[in-house]
Amino acid sequence: QVQLVESGGGSVQAGGSLRLSCAASRSWYCMAWFRQAPGKERAGVASITDSGSTIYADSVKGRFTISRDNAKNTVYLEMNGLKPEDSAMYYCAVRYGPYCSPFVMMTYWGKGTPVTISS
């Protein structure tokens, strides 16, 4: 059974930082982060392949960094310069290759971790 367990969400003020983690029960070619704000559609944030190739949504470029530890089957999302519009439920997701992007359909999803940014 595939398990994806996110952690690290919380509440911070604008300009602050958070680091999200997602531990998977097995290795995956593609690991990604998505987010969904209340009343909005889920949107891709960033993705990373097992070789370290990354793709970011324009809205987070320069502020967020995705990384992974293949030995731990864990993906991270370092979020800096947080803005109120970054508030959302953040989901970890994985998929098989050959494609890896936060703009393609993923195979499995975690249950999410909430992020709230106050102004």
Side-chain angles (χ1 to χ4, degrees):
Q1 184 176 355
V2 176
Q3 288 188 327
L4 299 170
V5 181
E6 301 100 332
S7 62
S11 298
V12 298
Q13 290 189 328
S17 299
L18 283 172
R19 188 191 195 209
L20 307 183
S21 299
C22 171
S25 53
R26 47 152 286 188
S27 62
W28 288 91
Y29 168 72
C30 179
M31 304 184 82
W33 288 96
F34 289 72
R35 64 187 181 185
Q36 186 169 20
K40 295 189 176 181
E41 292 188 356
R42 187 166 55 194
V45 175
S47 64
I48 185 168
T49 67
D50 56 4
S51 61
S53 295
T54 59
I55 298 175
Y56 293 91
D58 287 344
S59 59
V60 305
K61 282 180 181 177
R63 300 188 298 123
F64 291 11
T65 302
I66 189 170
S67 61
R68 62 189 285 171
D69 184 334
N70 290 333
K72 296 181 179 180
N73 297 330
T74 299
V75 63
Y76 306 97
L77 186 67
E78 185 75 36
M79 305 186 294
N80 298 312
L82 284 162
K83 306 174 182 180
E85 52 263 42
D86 293 318
S87 296
M89 185 69 80
Y90 281 70
Y91 297 91
C92 172
V94 297
R95 62 167 285 143
Y96 303 102
Y99 303 108
C100 187
S101 165
F103 311 116
V104 299
M105 187 175 296
M106 307 304 282
T107 307
Y108 296 103
W109 296 84
K111 294 183 178 180
T113 185
V115 171
T116 303
I117 312 302
S118 57
S119 58

